[in-house]
Amino acid sequence: MRFEVLTLFPGMIETAFMNGVTGRAASNGIVSLDTVNIRDYCVNNYGSVDDYTYGGGAGMLMMCEPVYNAYLEAKKKAGDEACRVVYMTPQGEPYTQEKAAEFSKEEALIILCGHYEGIDERVLEEIVTDNISIGDYVLTGGELAALVVMDSVTRLLPGALGNDSSPDNESFSEELLEYPQYTRPGVWHEKEVPEILLSGDHKKVDQYRMREARRRTKERRPELYEKYLKKRGIF
Ligand code: ADE
C-alpha cells in the first residue's frame, strides 16, 4: 500500500506516521508514505495557496490550481491512473471499519487534507473520488483525520501487526466492542482478575469474553448492539 498525502503540513503527517506500528510497517516495506506539500504549488512569490471566498463570508479558501498541481504530482508518484483520491472533510461519508477494509485492498491512496474554510469546489469535483469524515466535529485541518485513515488501513495490511496478532483474531470486534482484558498482577488495588480467566478452560474463557463483549456493547453503544442483533435475526 502506498499513501500519497497532499497537505500544507507534511511534517505533521510524517512525524506521526513514522512512529509505532505504522512506522514499523513502513520500515518493513508493508506500506510507504509520501507527502506532497501543496505550498510548493503556490500561485505567486508570497507562497499563497488560499484566497477570499466569492459571495463573501469569513475565512479563506484553498485555490484550485495549487491543489490540482499537487494532485498531478502525487498521481505521477503513485503510478496508478485509477488511484482513489480521498478528501478529508466533515461533510464526508462517516468513516467506519468497513471503509478501512475497503481502502486496505487498494494499491495506493491519495489523501487530500484541507485547511482554512475548505477548498474551491471545482477542483474537488474534478479530482475527489471519496469524501470522508471521521466524526461530527470540525478539526482545524484534514491531517489528523488523514492519520486516522492511514493508521486504521495500515493495521489491516498483512504483517503490519507482527506474527502473533492479526486483525482476524478479533472475530467479533467489528460488530461488538471488545471485552475487558487483564494482565499481571492478579490482584491490584484489591481488585481481582475474573477467576474464569485463570481457569485454563479456553472454551469457558471464550464464552465469558463473548458475554462481556455483548454486555459492554449493549451498555455503551446500544445502537451498535441493535445492529448486531438484527444481523443475526434476534429480534
Ligand atoms: N477536516 C476537518 N474536520 C474533519 C472531520 N471531522 N473529518 C474529516 N476531515 C476533517
Side-chain angles (χ1 to χ4, degrees):
M1 161 70 71
R2 186 181 175 94
F3 292 119
E4 290 285 341
V5 185
L6 311 180
T7 171
L8 287 171
F9 299 99
M12 196 171 161
I13 297 285
E14 283 156 11
T15 305
F17 192 78
M18 295 315 283
N19 275 284
V21 172
T22 50
R24 193 182 60 202
S27 304
N28 292 341
I30 293 165
V31 67
S32 73
L33 166 66
D34 188 58
T35 54
V36 178
N37 190 340
I38 299 170
R39 182 88 54 202
D40 291 344
Y41 299 87
C42 59
V43 295
N44 56 27
N45 293 337
Y46 304 109
S48 302
V49 291
D50 59 323
D51 209 335
Y52 295 101
T53 315
Y54 277 120
M60 307 281 273
L61 212 59
M62 284 169 76
M63 290 183 282
C64 289
E65 205 58 17
V67 172
Y68 188 66
N69 287 331
Y71 155 75
L72 290 180
E73 177 65 17
K75 202 163 91 152
K76 202 162 71 190
K77 286 190 192 167
D80 179 1
E81 267 304 303
C83 188
R84 283 166 89 163
V85 179
V86 181
Y87 176 43
M88 306 315 308
T89 166
Q91 291 145 40
E93 176 188 336
Y95 190 58
T96 58
Q97 187 64 32
E98 237 175 312
K99 204 76 195 171
E102 187 187 313
F103 284 159
S104 73
K105 309 238 157 56
E106 298 288 329
E107 285 283 308
L109 282 182
I110 295 176
I111 305 181
L112 171 59
C113 305
H115 258 273
Y116 311 111
E117 292 304 305
I119 301 180
D120 189 310
E121 193 66 24
R122 292 167 295 181
V123 69
L124 296 176
E125 277 172 12
E126 201 153 317
I127 69 173
V128 172
T129 59
D130 300 83
N131 290 283
I132 296 291
S133 164
I134 62 158
D136 288 338
Y137 40 80
V138 183
L139 303 166
T140 57
E143 283 74 13
L144 288 173
L147 284 162
V148 166
V149 169
M150 291 157 70
D151 187 291
S152 54
V153 168
T154 300
R155 69 181 284 287
L156 295 178
L157 300 176
L161 295 180
N163 293 332
D164 29 324
S165 51
S166 138
D168 295 341
N169 292 343
E170 306 161 26
S171 50
F172 47 85
S173 75
E174 283 171 24
E175 295 177 329
L176 293 175
L177 301 185
E178 222 178 348
Y179 46 80
Q181 300 193 81
Y182 306 87
T183 185
R184 286 189 287 182
V187 183
W188 182 81
H189 284 200
E190 294 172 20
K191 292 181 204 296
E192 288 180 19
V193 171
E195 213 175 311
I196 205 161
L197 298 177
L198 313 174
S199 69
D201 185 333
H202 294 300
K203 201 169 159 205
K204 278 203 170 130
V205 167
D206 283 350
Q207 285 169 346
Y208 163 82
R209 286 178 167 167
M210 189 55 165
R211 219 166 38 240
E212 285 301 308
R214 282 207 204 101
R215 189 185 55 73
R216 176 164 280 192
T217 311
K218 190 175 175 189
E219 193 178 294
R220 297 186 184 179
R221 295 285 304 275
E223 84 295 351
L224 209 63
Y225 188 65
E226 236 173 73
K227 199 169 142 195
Y228 164 82
L229 291 179
K230 255 193 196 139
K231 205 166 159 188
R232 277 160 187 74
I234 314 170
F235 241 175

